[in-house]
Amino acid sequence: MRFIDKLRDAQQQKDSWLCVGLDPNPELIPPGVSLKTFCQTIIDATHEQACSFKFNLAFFLIYGPEGYATLADMIAAVPDGIPVILDAKFGDIDYTAQQQKHLTFDLLKAHAVTLTPYIGIECILPFLQNPDAMVLVLVRSANRFGNDFQTWPSKESPLFRYVTAELNTLEQRYPGQIGVSAAATLPRDLARIRSWAPNLPFLIPGVGVQEGDLRSAVQHGATRTGIGPIINLTRAISHASSGADFGEQARAAAEHWVNAIRRERDALRV
């Protein structure tokens, strides 16, 4: 089944736009808890609320071979019907991108991957060879400062608008395979990107610890065809507690955010 179809089904069945992110920070994992136990506990505690899971590659690679093996095991441990995103932010020439694609879809068996587009379309095309997969291209990042490249040469005609236009064009050739990563920490730009790309699914980071605008994420997140946003919460859920109750606290946090998203959505429908 295609990522886009798995996502739609999971969102409808669970009435949820919540994506649970796993960035297993060794400084925040409870003492004495292994990487694998931590990740499995978070998945078990939150999968009933999640329409997707997002695994941050960097936070697994820092554990060395154990981290890579655990990442593969945890992707496989996500219940059937819930799509998995590998948050790698790959972005390289075709020669390298082919290997990144092989790693993502053939070895790790993720369903979608995040990419950075600075190399250009060349870094995206290899990932589109798998018709079931989706690429989520970084258009507007969560950091409020230091992302000057994205706004060059002007606020009125920024580079991220050009990137969005190119993704719209690419989507015509690869329908259902192109998405956008745009952060809730910059709500005005999130709204602009939605107006430029009404049909592209949105991965929206930045809500929670980064204090992004949840209302804006809900208001501008859904596509014109009814695919809801993938609203990612990571530290606010998976690291809701650094104690022995981290699983229970993750479940409670996931329920809180699912309900918060529903309230915002219902308020907009009134």
Side-chain angles (χ1 to χ4, degrees):
M1 184 183 290
R2 298 191 308 163
F3 174 90
I4 191 70
D5 297 322
K6 289 171 73 77
L7 177 66
R8 180 189 292 109
D9 289 352
Q11 289 183 337
Q12 291 177 352
Q13 291 170 10
K14 300 183 180 187
D15 189 24
S16 172
W17 290 348
L18 175 68
C19 173
V20 175
L22 277 160
D23 300 5
N25 187 333
E27 297 179 359
L28 300 176
I29 291 178
V33 176
S34 70
L35 173 64
K36 189 169 186 176
T37 297
F38 174 79
C39 294
Q40 187 67 68
T41 300
I42 297 299
I43 292 170
D44 291 343
T46 63
H47 71 85
E48 292 182 355
Q49 289 81 37
C51 73
S52 61
F53 281 92
K54 181 172 73 67
F55 293 82
N56 190 321
L57 179 62
F59 282 89
F60 288 88
L61 292 184
I62 60 171
Y63 291 90
E66 176 198 358
Y68 175 81
T70 300
L71 174 60
D73 289 344
M74 292 301 98
I75 289 175
V78 172
D80 291 342
I82 304 177
V84 172
I85 301 164
L86 180 67
D87 188 5
K89 297 183 179 70
F90 291 137
D92 213 325
I93 61 173
D94 177 85
Y95 181 71
T96 302
Q98 291 286 352
Q99 306 311 313
Q100 294 169 336
K101 181 264 296 185
H102 178 55
L103 169 68
T104 301
F105 301 133
D106 301 325
L107 299 180
L108 292 175
K109 301 188 184 304
H111 307 113
V113 65
T114 59
L115 304 177
T116 56
Y118 194 73
I119 289 287
I121 297 299
E122 182 177 354
C123 76
I124 300 174
L125 290 176
F127 294 89
L128 299 174
Q129 294 169 1
N130 183 343
D132 293 335
M134 175 168 281
V135 298
L136 295 158
V137 180
L138 178 64
V139 171
R140 199 74 170 103
S141 57
N143 54 315
R144 293 182 175 91
F145 308 101
N147 49 16
D148 311 46
F149 295 168
Q150 296 167 27
T151 56
W152 181 87
S154 70
K155 292 182 178 180
E156 291 71 29
S157 299
L159 180 59
F160 71 87
R161 180 170 189 172
Y162 175 76
V163 172
T164 304
E166 289 297 297
L167 295 179
N168 279 328
T169 300
L170 198 59
E171 200 271 340
Q172 300 303 309
R173 293 167 53 193
Y174 299 94
Q177 290 187 253
I178 308 291
V180 163
S181 178
T185 49
L186 297 161
R188 176 177 177 271
D189 289 339
L190 182 65
R192 295 168 75 193
I193 295 165
R194 175 50 78 206
S195 70
W196 301 333
N199 295 319
L200 298 185
F202 276 14
L203 169 64
I204 305 181
V207 176
V209 173
Q210 292 172 293
E211 299 181 341
D213 188 345
L214 178 61
R215 176 163 296 182
S216 180
V218 172
Q219 181 177 2
H220 303 294
T223 69
R224 185 163 54 187
T225 57
I227 300 294
I230 308 165
I231 300 178
N232 182 73
L233 274 295
T234 300
R235 282 173 284 176
I237 292 177
S238 60
H239 291 301
S241 170
S242 294
D245 64 342
F246 71 96
E248 292 85 352
Q249 291 302 316
R251 179 182 291 107
E255 291 173 351
H256 163 80
W257 284 105
V258 165
N259 289 328
I261 292 167
R262 289 171 181 163
R263 285 194 298 270
E264 292 292 350
R265 186 190 60 199
D266 293 344
L268 291 169
R269 289 174 176 172
V270 174

